[in-house]
Amino acid sequence: MSEDPLSELPMRPDTEKVNLIGLPQAALENFFAGIGEKPFRARQMLQWIHQRNADDFDAMTDLSKGLRAKLGDSAVIRLPALLSEQASKDGTIKWLFESGAGQAVETVFIPELARGTLCISSQVGCALDCAFCATGAQGFNRNLSTAEIVGQVNYANRVLPSRPNGKPAVTNVVFMGMGEPLANYRNLLPALDLLLSDFSYGLSRRRITVSTSGIVPQIHKLGDDCNVSLAVSLHAPNDELRNYLVPINRIHPISELLDACWAYAAKRANRFITFEYVMLRNINDSIEHAHELANLLRDKPAKVNLIPFNPFSGNEFRRSDSKVISAFQAAMREQGIVSTTRKTRGDDISAACGQLAGKVSDRIRNRLSEKQTKVATA
Ligand code: SAH
Ligand code: SF4
């Protein structure tokens, strides 16, 4: 019998092996302790996977042959499986990744001169059912694992050319793809750990943005646990309208949500919270709405990001006219609120905010009649 008990383990199928892409440093240290290895192996592994883009233990030449064989028996480095890639004329790239059971999630890369932003998904579908969102219209399927969340960043850095300074293509990560990240907190937190760690992606807190529709207890938790940049999908300046557009508001109304936001900002030396506000024609885009919104945010560490509504198949809502959006933004600024309008990128490939729906068009169609009734009665 060999002296090393692990070498006697029968080969396990890949699906049972642990996917090391999803393990942050502490979990990797545990993993290595479990196979009788020193903690420093965790740092080596992080660098191999996330910085040197290895996907095969045999490429890890500073590990002994014995260790590489042991790793091969118990672990894998598995990237998300690509279903399709689309490139927009504005340079935006959208990837569709397989997520099992005929479902898919989407990841969008938005190149700009000064940065490369990756918009990633956190769930397959979403349970929160915001009235104007294609992901919400498809319903909830499941949470993505940490490996599937971080795998999107890993994949992008592997396939995209490095930046002119030799750094990886992805400089900023926003959780604005499919799903509600704070409803998948357990898998989100280790993903943030990996994005922040110098042994993996080394991104600063201000280059990572978690966008939430307002799950208040998790906002408090995130403030304590990680405190990355926070964006909040407000979309309405009063509870009546927000109850309809963002149904989670019926559980956590605006005053409770804003209190959580100011507490979050206070924990990170008054850094601004971004409030997203989708511009829906004749629904939430009047000057009165702008004044009501300004009253909520005045003298607070808040900035407003207006998002022109991106239509998706069959939806009743319409985008506000660009003149209306400019007037809304001017009204906000007159009230002393920092306000910008998001450039729509990638809409020719349905990669713009709220258009991400994976391959579930049938389910969307089924839900449309229900949505149209809601809009008509609003
Ligand atoms: N679930 C999170 C993050 C994903 S959505 C959240 O709701 O914040 C990212 C942003 O796109 C949110 O502000 C969301 O409200 C917005 N959005 C959703 N559908 C949209 C659409 N059709 N047009 C424009 N923005 C949309
Ligand atoms: Fe979910 Fe965000 Fe879409 Fe609302 S806007 S349904 S929270 S993904």
Side-chain angles (χ1 to χ4, degrees):
M1 184 170 156
S2 149
E3 281 176 22
D4 177 0
L6 280 166
S7 68
E8 295 298 313
L9 288 176
M11 285 282 282
R12 288 193 268 160
D14 268 10
T15 44
E16 280 181 26
K17 294 178 184 176
V18 49
N19 187 1
L20 300 187
I21 284 196
L23 301 191
Q25 188 172 348
L28 267 179
E29 284 173 1
N30 279 341
F31 167 80
F32 277 111
I35 58 170
E37 291 289 329
K38 297 245 160 56
F40 79 92
R41 295 289 183 203
R43 298 195 296 274
Q44 257 180 324
M45 187 55 74
L46 286 173
Q47 286 168 325
W48 271 114
I49 297 177
H50 302 285
Q51 296 181 353
R52 302 171 78 175
N53 295 339
D55 55 9
D56 183 352
F57 298 120
D58 281 336
M60 302 179 180
T61 43
D62 52 359
L63 309 185
S64 72
K65 267 198 169 161
L67 175 53
R68 283 187 257 158
K70 220 153 56 167
L71 285 168
D73 288 345
S74 56
V76 285
I77 303 167
R78 193 172 42 243
L79 287 152
L82 184 70
L83 290 175
S84 70
E85 173 181 300
Q86 281 174 282
S88 158
K89 53 184 184 321
D90 68 16
T92 301
I93 300 174
K94 180 171 84 170
W95 293 292
L96 193 67
F97 293 112
E98 216 258 305
S99 58
Q103 305 269 342
V105 290
E106 295 181 327
T107 306
V108 179
F109 180 69
I110 306 149
E112 287 171 288
L113 227 46
R115 59 180 172 246
T117 303
L118 195 71
C119 176
I120 64 174
S121 294
S122 56
Q123 298 182 309
V124 187
C126 182
L128 297 186
D129 203 20
C130 299
F132 49 84
C133 173
T135 308
Q138 82 177 67
F140 175 69
N141 188 262
R142 68 172 177 86
N143 283 327
L144 292 184
S145 66
T146 302
E148 289 171 315
I149 296 172
V150 169
Q152 298 168 69
V153 186
N154 196 292
Y155 181 91
N157 276 342
R158 277 169 202 256
V159 301
L160 294 169
S162 311
R163 297 191 61 76
N165 62 5
K167 295 254 171 76
V170 177
T171 64
N172 293 57
V173 173
V174 296
F175 285 80
M176 295 184 185
M178 294 166 66
E180 167 53 52
L182 295 189
N184 184 13
Y185 198 78
R186 173 212 287 248
N187 297 331
L188 172 71
L189 216 53
L192 293 174
D193 183 332
L194 280 161
L195 293 177
L196 289 163
S197 164
D198 284 340
F199 297 111
S200 33
Y201 298 93
L203 300 179
S204 70
R205 281 164 210 280
R206 82 194 152 76
R207 288 181 179 272
I208 303 171
T209 303
V210 169
S211 176
T212 177
S213 56
I215 306 188
V216 166
Q218 264 68 21
I219 293 178
H220 287 297
K221 262 174 96 40
L222 189 69
D224 293 333
D225 290 339
C226 196
N227 217 258
V228 289
S229 299
L230 187 69
V232 171
S233 295
L234 195 57
H235 303 316
N238 60 62
D239 283 327
E240 195 187 354
L241 186 53
R242 195 164 190 270
N243 283 347
Y244 158 59
L245 293 176
V246 185
I248 186 82
N249 195 69
R250 295 173 203 162
I251 300 169
H252 302 296
I254 291 176
S255 60
E256 200 187 304
L257 172 60
L258 292 181
D259 284 348
C261 290
W262 312 142
Y264 193 97
K267 282 178 197 152
R268 52 200 305 261
N270 246 14
R271 276 191 62 99
F272 279 48
I273 308 284
T274 301
F275 291 93
E276 294 157 290
Y277 195 98
V278 64
M279 293 298 284
L280 301 165
R281 187 187 296 177
N282 295 337
I283 303 272
N284 64 353
D285 61 353
S286 72
I287 292 300
E288 289 71 35
H289 289 125
H291 289 161
E292 221 179 333
L293 183 60
N295 288 340
L296 294 177
L297 305 182
R298 193 172 293 109
D299 299 328
K300 299 290 189 197
K303 55 187 175 193
V304 171
N305 192 210
L306 303 176
I307 314 176
F309 170 66
N310 293 308
F312 55 94
S313 155
N315 188 278
E316 272 285 293
F317 291 108
R318 295 285 169 266
R319 179 183 292 183
S320 306
D321 285 341
S322 54
K323 277 190 189 142
V324 171
I325 299 178
S326 304
F328 195 102
Q329 181 172 324
M332 294 301 294
R333 286 184 174 170
E334 272 163 32
Q335 305 278 322
I337 314 284
V338 179
S339 176
T340 51
T341 299
R342 190 174 295 175
K343 263 192 277 162
T344 298
R345 299 281 307 255
D347 53 350
D348 55 335
I349 54 166
S350 290
C353 298
Q355 291 183 317
L356 308 183
K359 278 217 154 141
V360 282
S361 43
D362 290 344
R363 280 170 64 186
I364 292 179
R365 264 198 295 277
N366 292 342
R367 296 285 303 280
L368 282 176
S369 46
E370 207 182 296
K371 296 255 168 204
Q372 279 159 356
T373 319
K374 270 205 237 169
V375 174
T377 54

